[in-house]
């Protein structure tokens, strides 16, 4: 796990890249890689790579980057892990390849030398990397199917730049900070900035599951090599017909966990009281890791309530023989850490606080790597959205056949008292009859027609036109036929990709912690997508996951009400503002305002919300 960056002056009339810019961008990512750093330049100095290293695989200097092939043709800077690199290495060695290190980076480099872009379908892992081919004079970029690892790009028509962080690119000093209205609108709608946008017009994210080639003519259009929606759609068309669903899930999950334990350092676990992380602990033991260090967060505000994770987490840790660390976080610590949190947050997000503190506690425990249960709800229909969204679509789809009826109903309801009690209610008639619209209702922080009240109306209008939220929710392509599979694709490509995974990256890296997600794995998705249509009852997926370890989870944990992996941010914000409004209603919108103030320039700032408005 690392921080990567690079510059390619592809236009013959472009000035040679500045070494100081490359170093400034690289070293703005210090905590992504405190164990080492490097730089590389092509002979003509038109291409430069930077790298910050967090040593996880091959801890020796032989694993350092940027890495150059033995024949000096290829150079690579790589962020992530290739979990099947040992199998790929053995295959390459059988074909005569000679390795100089024990790293997955060198496997990536030699596999590209042999297969080029075709190698992407063979990689199991989380990755963002750049490879320079000095013979063809081409730069090749790629990002993993789920988008676990970020890769931001910028092109000014002369020079192409990339890095693992938006703030790192800005630190280089050569990229305009002109705002991107679509990014600002996206944050106000979702509480995160949807890819490929950022807050800045000149910085984009390479889409997940895509590669891109840059040569002397500039960047070519990016190409998709893996699709989450397509994987769900194929599973929907070919549902699992066998009776042994537990066996299917157990086999696929154990394989994924075993792959994600690949490391030359100890691998810990973020343990909540939920099924996902508890099942991972059992599967880690089944995979051969006899003693695992688990970290659980505790909050005084949750003591004695259903949100207290510690009691059930302790029982699970004891059942599987794990070392269990309970780390208490106070309101005072939150306020002390807040400036550091906002500084580390690469793009604005209303989430990530939980990950920040559990990653901090994990680092305090002396670990570099931890597994997370993130992704179980999206994969195995764990959210209430899997039931709500299909029901809304089924009930409201008929009125979508009448042009503009939904918008007229929405405008009528907006003038009623009902809208003041529930701002989303008017939008049900307009959006609820199709999957993308119903998903917007379910996950949206604000709906498009609300934006004029929370941000500059002109920016809202321009941003909505550039973002096109409904199309962005589900890009062009066949949707899964099964409703549960459809929602799984929506949750995976939106909430999980743009918020949960991105938050895991910046919050974990801020503490030099590599967060691995065995439930967010494209190989696992292809194995379990055919199971999703069989999850006809609420909780079916979690029951299958709970039964996956050799020693299954107790029914008391599997069947308890879902609480999530939460922090009492509503209470903490209320304590600071002395607001008497609804704590739960305050949390997301007031925190969104707090975050946006930290990112917005003076002319973009909006008035801080009162408690009443936020609620």
């Amino acid at each position: 796990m690392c921080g990567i960056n690079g510059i390619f002056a592809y236009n013959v009339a472009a000035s040679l890249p500045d070494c100081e810019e490359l170093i400034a961008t690289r070293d703005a990512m210090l905590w992504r890689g405190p164990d080492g750093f490097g730089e590389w330049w092509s002979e003509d100095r038109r291409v430069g790579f930077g790298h910050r290293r967090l040593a996880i695989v091959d801890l020796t200097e032989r694993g350092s980057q940027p890495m150059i092939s033995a024949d000096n043709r290829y150079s690579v800077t790589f962020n992530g892990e290739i979990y099947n690199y040992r199998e790929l290495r053995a295959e390459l060695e059988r074909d005569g390849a000679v390795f100089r290190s024990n790293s997955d980076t060198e496997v990536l480099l030699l596999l590209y030398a042999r297969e080029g872009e075709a190698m992407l379908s063979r990689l199991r892992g989380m990755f963002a990397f750049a490879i320079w081919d000095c013979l063809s004079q081409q730069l090749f970029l790629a990002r993993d199917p789920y988008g676990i690892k970020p890769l931001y790009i910028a092109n000014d028509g002369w020079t192409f730049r990339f890095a693992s962080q938006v703030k790192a690119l800005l630190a280089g000093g050569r990229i305009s900070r002109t705002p991107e209205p679509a990014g600002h609108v996206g944050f106000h709608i979702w509480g995160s900035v949807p890819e490929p946008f950022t807050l800045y017009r000149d910085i984009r994210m390479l889409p997940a599951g895509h590669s891109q080639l840059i040569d002397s003519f500039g960047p070519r259009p990016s190409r998709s090599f893996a699709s989450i929606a397509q994987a769900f759609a194929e599973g929907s068309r070919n549902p699992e017909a066998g009776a042994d669903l537990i066996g299917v899930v157990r086999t696929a999950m154990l394989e994924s966990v075993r792959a994600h334990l690949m490391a030359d350092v100890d691998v810990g676990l973020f343990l909540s009281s939920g099924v996902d992380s508890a099942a991972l602990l059992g599967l880690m033991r089944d995979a051969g890791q006899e003693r695992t260090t688990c970290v659980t967060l505790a909050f005084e505000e949750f003591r004695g309530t259903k949100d207290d994770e510690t009691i059930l987490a302790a029982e699970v840790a004891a059942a599987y023989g794990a070392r269990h660390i309970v780390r208490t976080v106070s309101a005072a610590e939150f306020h002390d850490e807040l400036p550091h949190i906002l500084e580390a947050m690469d793009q604005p997000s209303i989430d990530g606080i939980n990950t920040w503190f559990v990653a901090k506690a994990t680092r305090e425990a002396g670990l570099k790597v931890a597994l997370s249960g993130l992704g179980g709800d999206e994969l195995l229909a764990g959210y209430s959205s899997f039931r709500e969204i299909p029901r809304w679509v089924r009930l409201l789809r008929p009125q979508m056949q009448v042009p503009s009826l939904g918008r007229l109903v929405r405008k009528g309801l907006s003038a009623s008292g009902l809208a003041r009690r529930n701002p989303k209610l008017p939008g049900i008639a307009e959006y609820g009859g199709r999957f993308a619209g119903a998903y917007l209702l379910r996950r949206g922080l604000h709906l498009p027609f609300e934006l004029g009240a929370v941000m500059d109306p002109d920016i809202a209008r321009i941003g909505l036109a550039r973002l096109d939220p409904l199309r962005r929710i589900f890009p062009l392509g066949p949707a899964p036929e099964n409703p549960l599979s459809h929602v799984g694709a929506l949750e995976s490509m939106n909430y999980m990709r743009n918020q949960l995974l991105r938050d895991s990256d910046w919050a974990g890296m801020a503490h030099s912690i590599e967060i691995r997600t065995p439930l967010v794995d494209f190989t696992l998705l292809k194995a379990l997508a055919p199971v999703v249509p069989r999850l006809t009852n609420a909780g079916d997926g979690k029951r299958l996951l709970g039964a996956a370890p050799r020693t299954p989870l107790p029914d008391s944990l599997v069947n308890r009400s879902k609480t999530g992996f939460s922090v009492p941010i509503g209470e903490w914000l209320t304590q600071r503002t002395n607001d008497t409004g609804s704590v739960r209603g305050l949390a997301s919108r007031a925190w969104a305002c707090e975050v946006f103030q930290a990112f917005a320039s003076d002319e973009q700032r909006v008035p801080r919300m009162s408690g009443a408005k936020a609620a």
Side-chain angles (χ1 to χ4, degrees):
M1 187 66 64
C2 309
I4 65 172
N5 68 290
I7 309 175
F8 175 22
Y10 63 84
N11 192 307
V12 294
S15 301
L16 293 180
D18 185 351
C19 181
E20 291 183 2
E21 179 191 354
L22 184 82
I23 301 306
T25 301
R26 183 196 70 187
D27 290 348
M29 300 182 288
L30 170 64
W31 293 111
R32 297 188 73 89
D35 295 337
F37 58 89
E39 66 178 288
W40 166 86
W41 290 94
S42 62
E43 286 189 8
D44 61 6
R45 301 285 297 186
R46 301 195 73 83
V47 183
F49 285 171
H51 191 268
R52 296 283 335 187
R53 186 184 188 199
L54 182 65
I56 304 296
V57 175
D58 189 349
L59 309 185
T60 71
E61 285 299 314
R62 294 190 300 272
S64 297
Q65 297 185 53
M67 185 176 287
I68 319 302
S69 64
D71 62 2
N72 291 317
R73 176 175 175 175
Y74 300 100
S75 306
V76 64
T77 185
F78 163 51
N79 172 30
E81 304 289 356
I82 306 302
Y83 297 125
N84 62 336
Y85 86 96
R86 292 192 179 101
E87 298 93 317
L88 294 171
R89 176 183 175 127
E91 177 186 316
L92 289 165
E93 286 178 324
R94 286 194 297 271
D95 288 347
V98 176
F99 287 84
R100 298 172 292 170
S101 75
N102 292 313
S103 71
D104 54 345
T105 306
E106 191 174 9
V107 171
L108 186 71
L109 192 60
L110 269 64
L111 191 63
Y112 182 78
R114 188 179 77 171
E115 300 182 8
E117 182 181 1
M119 52 92 86
L120 292 173
S121 63
R122 309 194 59 207
L123 302 178
R124 181 175 196 169
M126 52 180 182
F127 54 83
F129 64 82
I131 294 178
W132 172 253
D133 181 346
C134 73
L135 186 61
S136 67
Q137 294 287 290
Q138 292 179 329
L139 178 66
F140 179 75
L141 307 179
R143 187 167 170 237
D144 67 77
Y146 270 100
I148 302 171
K149 292 292 97 188
L151 189 59
Y152 296 97
I153 57 179
N155 173 42
D156 61 9
W158 302 80
T159 300
F160 184 89
R161 297 169 171 88
F162 65 88
S164 298
Q165 293 183 205
V166 171
K167 288 182 176 179
L169 282 173
L170 294 175
R174 299 298 179 89
I175 296 177
S176 169
R177 294 174 180 258
T178 301
E180 169 54 80
H184 288 253
V185 164
F187 172 72
H188 283 88
I189 289 178
W190 301 109
S192 61
V193 181
E195 70 172 44
F197 297 105
T198 70
L199 291 186
Y200 308 97
R201 191 182 292 264
D202 288 350
I203 302 177
R204 288 286 186 271
M205 178 175 271
L206 180 68
H210 280 65
S211 65
Q212 188 166 31
L213 197 66
I214 303 93
D215 57 19
S216 60
F217 295 100
R220 307 280 184 87
S222 63
R223 294 160 53 101
S224 173
F225 66 88
S227 168
I228 302 298
Q230 183 177 345
F232 271 108
E234 290 177 357
S236 178
R237 288 193 296 269
N238 302 286
E240 176 63 47
D244 185 20
L245 293 184
I246 291 177
V248 172
V249 172
R250 174 180 290 135
T251 299
M253 280 301 313
L254 182 58
E255 181 190 15
S256 183
V257 168
R258 183 176 288 118
H260 283 73
L261 291 177
M262 178 278 297
D264 292 332
V265 298
D266 291 339
V267 179
L269 174 71
F270 297 165
L271 181 64
S272 71
S273 61
V275 173
D276 302 335
S277 61
L280 288 183
L281 180 57
L283 290 164
M284 290 170 79
R285 191 177 72 167
D286 293 349
Q289 183 159 309
E290 295 183 357
R291 187 151 177 87
T292 299
T293 296
C294 305
V295 180
T296 302
L297 295 184
F299 308 94
E300 287 298 330
E301 292 84 353
F302 289 167
R303 188 181 298 276
T305 73
K306 65 180 179 62
D307 291 317
D308 187 351
E309 306 264 13
T310 60
I311 298 174
L312 274 175
E315 293 177 5
V316 170
Y320 292 119
R323 174 193 178 208
H324 189 216
I325 296 172
V326 176
R327 173 64 155 77
T328 300
V329 181
S330 67
E333 184 178 8
F334 165 74
H335 293 305
D336 288 343
E337 290 281 293
L338 187 54
H340 307 297
I341 293 170
L342 294 173
E343 177 63 27
M345 189 180 289
D346 195 46
Q347 292 198 80
S349 170
I350 63 169
D351 211 334
I353 305 303
N354 47 5
T355 309
W356 171 275
F357 283 110
V358 75
K360 179 182 179 182
T362 301
R363 189 65 182 183
E364 292 168 349
L367 294 170
K368 280 186 174 182
V369 181
L371 302 191
S372 164
L374 191 160
D377 290 309
E378 291 81 1
L379 179 63
L380 293 172
Y383 293 130
S384 59
S385 59
F386 283 84
R387 314 295 158 183
E388 294 171 355
I389 289 175
R391 183 169 63 250
W392 294 348
V393 171
R394 188 171 59 253
L395 292 174
L396 296 169
R397 178 174 282 160
Q399 75 173 37
M400 302 295 292
Q401 308 305 314
V402 182
S404 302
L405 176 60
R407 184 173 300 178
L408 291 172
V409 174
R410 186 256 295 172
K411 289 182 177 180
L413 288 174
S414 294
S416 70
L418 292 174
R420 288 191 290 273
R421 289 195 292 273
N422 185 346
K424 287 187 178 182
L425 182 62
I428 291 177
E430 183 173 5
Y431 296 110
R434 48 183 167 166
F435 274 88
Y439 186 77
L440 177 62
L441 284 168
R442 178 66 172 75
R443 286 293 183 191
L445 184 65
H446 297 99
L447 295 178
F449 57 80
E450 295 183 275
L451 293 180
V454 297
M455 62 184 299
D456 181 277
D458 289 333
I459 293 178
R461 176 178 51 79
I462 297 170
L464 279 170
R466 290 173 62 83
L467 178 64
D468 194 357
L470 292 180
R471 187 180 67 84
R472 190 69 52 188
I473 288 170
F474 201 100
L476 296 176
E481 298 171 4
N482 179 269
L484 297 178
S485 302
H486 198 155
V487 177
L490 290 170
E491 293 285 17
S492 299
M493 297 189 302
N494 291 277
Y495 177 56
M496 186 172 75
R497 176 179 292 167
N498 293 323
Q499 188 156 306
L500 298 182
L501 289 173
R502 195 179 301 159
D503 288 339
S504 291
D505 181 76
W506 69 258
M509 286 285 89
H511 299 287
S512 305
I513 291 293
E514 176 177 289
I515 299 175
R516 297 182 177 182
T517 52
L519 295 165
V520 184
D521 178 90
F522 196 61
T523 303
L524 178 68
L525 171 62
K526 289 189 289 185
L528 296 188
V531 172
V532 175
R534 296 282 303 276
L535 307 178
T536 52
N537 300 307
D540 280 352
K542 292 307 177 76
R543 283 187 282 274
L544 289 173
L545 185 55
R550 189 178 300 128
T551 301
L553 302 182
D555 290 341
S556 59
L557 190 151
V558 173
N559 296 319
R560 69 189 291 263
S561 299
K562 181 176 176 58
T563 59
F565 182 28
S566 58
V567 298
I569 192 169
E571 287 86 341
W572 291 341
L573 289 175
T574 306
Q575 290 172 15
R576 188 176 67 177
T577 60
N578 293 319
D579 198 300
T580 58
S582 165
V583 168
R584 295 300 178 190
L586 173 69
S588 59
R589 291 193 176 193
W591 176 237
C593 184
E594 183 79 27
V595 168
F596 190 71
Q597 302 300 320
F599 279 82
S601 60
D602 290 340
E603 65 272 17
Q604 295 162 344
R605 293 185 187 276
V606 295
R608 293 184 183 272
M609 294 181 183
S610 67
K613 187 173 183 180

